[in-house]
Amino acid sequence: MTAWLPGWLRHYRRAWLHGDVVAGVVVTLLLVPQGLAYALVIGLPPVTGLYASLPPLLLYGLIGRSHAQSVGPMALTSLLAAATLSRLAAPGSAEYLALAVWLALLSGAMLVALGVARLGFLADFLSAPVLAAFTAASALLIVLAQLAPLLGLHGGGAALPALLAAVLDGWQGFNPLALGVGALTLLWLVGARRLLPPTLARAAPVLAVLLGIVAVREAGWATRLPVVGAVPAGLPAFALPRLPWERLAELMLPAFFMALINYVQSLSVAQLLAEPRHERVEPDRELLALGVCNLGAGLFGGFPVTGGLSRSLVNAAAGAHSPLASWISAGGIALVLLFAGAALASLPLAVLAATIVVAVYPSIGFGALRQAWRADRADAVAFVLTFVLVLLLGVESGIVAGVLVSLGAWLWRSSRPHMAEVGRLPGTQHYRNVTRFATETLPGVLFLRVDESLYFGNARLVRDTVLDRLAERPQLTTLVLIMSAVNRLDASAVTMLQWLDDSLALRGVTLALAEVKGPVGTVLARAGLLERFAGRHFLSTDQAWRHYAPAPDFHI
């Protein structure tokens, strides 16, 4: 009878209720200003941020598995949506809103399809340095985009040149009152984070919103200060805006990147929340849940959503034990939509801008760049290139360039595999690089270890390296290729091994193989090479050493 209920609800414990209620209320207080603010980042009416918040909170509880994941509007997702939509329609227009809805629907449909097909591994194409650079640059763009509302100006643009140009062009409209309200809000929010207990600090944005509304109403600033404006009362209605097929086609690629980035963010949050509780995250299930959440947001007038790191951590810290906390937050959002629309109309945009700055600023960091520089310079280059291009060209161009650089660096490294001559550590069965350890070698025998899988991209270089080593040492009679690090072999590599065996045989050099792994051996067997190497195929390097070592001299 209750089989259709989610697992957490079927096994709900009474002891969880207090924590879920508290967490639900706290997240509501955090999500209301965030939802309004992130809608403004996209260029949509602020109320759409609440529309985008309500359905995902309900739907994730039905499908998702994370106990404290809070799905809703996110700063980076909003910036990515703004960068996409601003090229296709005028911000604030009916077509712009329709495009935002369809961006959520298409990215949601793609996430569902990826989840059903169990293709969660696609997120791995976004390397950690590229994602960190994208996050840092996007956060910086979001902060810079708030300069206009903080100064009382009309901003625009999704990249650094356009943002700065909008501020410079509209400088004559500078509003000192907006700057004063924004600066005071910034001081309050920063001070609350540093001086107040965490529980009170989380309510600081709501208090800033309330004070901003009261100030506008009591001081009569509605005509002197840019405000949110009319907010329709009532819950979001189910609707599917019409859009020509050619416009949908323009959204396909941006929707795919949106889906990929949102999934990476949401999965990262789910894994972070699961670790302290020793829980297991199901990536494909998270794909499906996030896709349904985006479909829900789009069908009720919202925009793309994902798992929010700060909100989810607050949810967990406030005591959330189950998705009931998100359902309570959804109830809170519903109450705001039903009864607080008139009050929100008087909310200064400068207050929302300050809220965005304080929420996003911590994401501007370069720790990942320092770590990448120490570990792998190619990853550091990918970080810098992604960061710069996101700033100058926008988020889509930057993330594409970063992915291409990461894949290019991987291809470049794998096409130039490390190949080490190895020898035996005296008195042992261990074999190490002769340039790093004091080893012993066999006269006339070269043991060469290939530290990479063999494929079309490096087969020629491996062949040329072998020939160069043999040319340097014409006295060699045997070459043993140690394949302990070779995990895969393609047709080009098989052809190379055949050619190398024939070529060395003409020079009087024997080619042998050692430590061939099972999957590689299967490929060699299908290609007929195991028969060719019969008697020259060894399970271990030590077995090959003993085979080719000269017989002991027992003469006295």
Side-chain angles (χ1 to χ4, degrees), residues 9 28 102 116 194 196 323 334 337 357 383 423 496 517 544:
L9 193 54
T28 301
W102 273 102
V116 171
R194 295 184 178 180
L196 296 181
L337 285 168
V357 170
F383 182 103
M496 180 270 293
K517 293 181 177 179

Side-chain angles (χ1 to χ4, degrees), residues 12-24 319 321-322 324-325 328:
Y12 195 82
R13 302 177 187 174
R14 184 184 296 271
W16 294 352
L17 184 59
H18 178 266
D20 283 340
V21 171
V22 171
H321 294 286
S322 74
L324 179 63
I328 292 172

Side-chain angles (χ1 to χ4, degrees), residues 196-250:
L196 296 181
T199 304
L200 295 176
R202 293 179 193 122
V206 174
L207 184 57
V209 167
L210 293 176
L211 289 176
I213 293 171
V214 170
V216 168
R217 289 192 163 191
E218 295 300 321
W221 289 346
T223 58
R224 299 175 52 196
L225 198 62
V227 294
V228 166
V231 175
L235 298 177
F238 180 91
L240 189 62
R242 299 182 62 181
L243 206 64
W245 282 108
E246 57 270 18
R247 304 316 303 270
L248 289 177
E250 292 175 315

Side-chain angles (χ1 to χ4, degrees), residues 315-403:
N315 197 28
H321 294 286
S322 74
L324 179 63
S326 291
W327 287 4
I328 292 172
S329 296
I333 298 293
L335 291 175
V336 170
L337 285 168
L338 288 171
F339 303 111
L344 291 175
S346 301
L347 175 61
L349 295 183
V351 171
L352 289 180
T355 302
I356 295 173
V357 170
V358 174
V360 170
Y361 181 77
S363 298
I364 306 174
F366 298 94
L369 175 60
R370 290 190 292 270
Q371 184 176 357
W373 183 259
R374 290 193 294 264
D376 190 326
R377 300 294 168 83
D379 281 339
V381 171
F383 182 103
V384 172
L385 186 62
T386 303
F387 185 86
V388 171
L389 289 180
V390 167
L391 285 181
L392 297 181
L393 302 179
V395 289
E396 285 183 356
S397 300
I399 199 69
V400 170
V403 170

Side-chain angles (χ1 to χ4, degrees), residues 247-306:
R247 304 316 303 270
L248 289 177
E250 292 175 315
L251 287 175
M252 287 297 181
L253 187 59
F256 175 74
F257 280 110
M258 177 78 70
L260 193 61
I261 292 168
N262 283 351
Y263 170 57
V264 172
Q265 292 186 74
S266 183
L267 183 63
S268 300
V269 173
Q271 289 173 333
L272 184 64
L273 294 170
E275 286 176 4
R277 294 163 62 102
H278 304 286
E279 294 176 342
R280 199 173 151 194
V281 175
E282 300 177 37
D284 295 321
R285 183 76 178 194
E286 290 300 310
L287 263 175
L288 184 62
L290 186 61
V292 171
C293 287
N294 275 276
L295 289 173
L299 290 173
F300 286 90
F303 47 82
V305 295
T306 188

Side-chain angles (χ1 to χ4, degrees), residues 32-298:
V32 169
Q34 281 190 355
L36 297 170
Y38 294 151
L40 289 176
V41 170
I42 298 180
L44 294 172
V47 72
T48 59
L50 301 183
Y51 293 166
S53 303
L54 182 54
L57 289 171
L58 295 171
L59 292 171
Y60 186 84
L62 291 173
I63 303 172
R65 298 289 173 82
S66 175
H67 73 285
Q69 176 89 283
S70 179
V71 179
M74 262 284 289
L76 301 185
T77 300
S78 298
L79 181 65
L80 187 57
T84 298
L85 301 175
S86 60
R87 300 196 313 266
L88 304 176
S93 64
E95 185 181 19
Y96 192 88
L97 178 57
L99 287 166
V101 167
W102 273 102
L103 187 61
L105 293 173
L106 290 174
S107 63
M110 290 177 182
L111 286 166
V112 170
L114 292 174
V116 171
R118 300 185 176 278
L119 295 178
F121 68 88
L122 288 176
D124 297 335
F125 286 104
L126 288 175
S127 68
V130 167
L131 189 59
F134 167 75
T135 301
S138 299
L140 181 57
L141 281 178
I142 291 170
V143 169
L144 293 174
Q146 304 318 305
L147 286 176
L150 283 173
L151 297 172
L153 307 175
H154 294 288
L160 182 61
L163 290 173
L164 295 181
V167 172
L168 292 175
D169 292 343
W171 185 254
Q172 292 78 9
F174 165 64
N175 188 325
L177 181 59
L179 179 60
V181 170
L184 287 174
T185 305
L186 281 173
L187 288 174
W188 159 245
L189 294 175
V190 173
R193 281 194 172 192
R194 295 184 178 180
L195 303 177
L196 296 181
T199 304
L200 295 176
R202 293 179 193 122
V206 174
L207 184 57
V209 167
L210 293 176
L211 289 176
I213 293 171
V214 170
V216 168
R217 289 192 163 191
E218 295 300 321
W221 289 346
T223 58
R224 299 175 52 196
L225 198 62
V227 294
V228 166
V231 175
L235 298 177
F238 180 91
L240 189 62
R242 299 182 62 181
L243 206 64
W245 282 108
E246 57 270 18
R247 304 316 303 270
L248 289 177
E250 292 175 315
L251 287 175
M252 287 297 181
L253 187 59
F256 175 74
F257 280 110
M258 177 78 70
L260 193 61
I261 292 168
N262 283 351
Y263 170 57
V264 172
Q265 292 186 74
S266 183
L267 183 63
S268 300
V269 173
Q271 289 173 333
L272 184 64
L273 294 170
E275 286 176 4
R277 294 163 62 102
H278 304 286
E279 294 176 342
R280 199 173 151 194
V281 175
E282 300 177 37
D284 295 321
R285 183 76 178 194
E286 290 300 310
L287 263 175
L288 184 62
L290 186 61
V292 171
C293 287
N294 275 276
L295 289 173

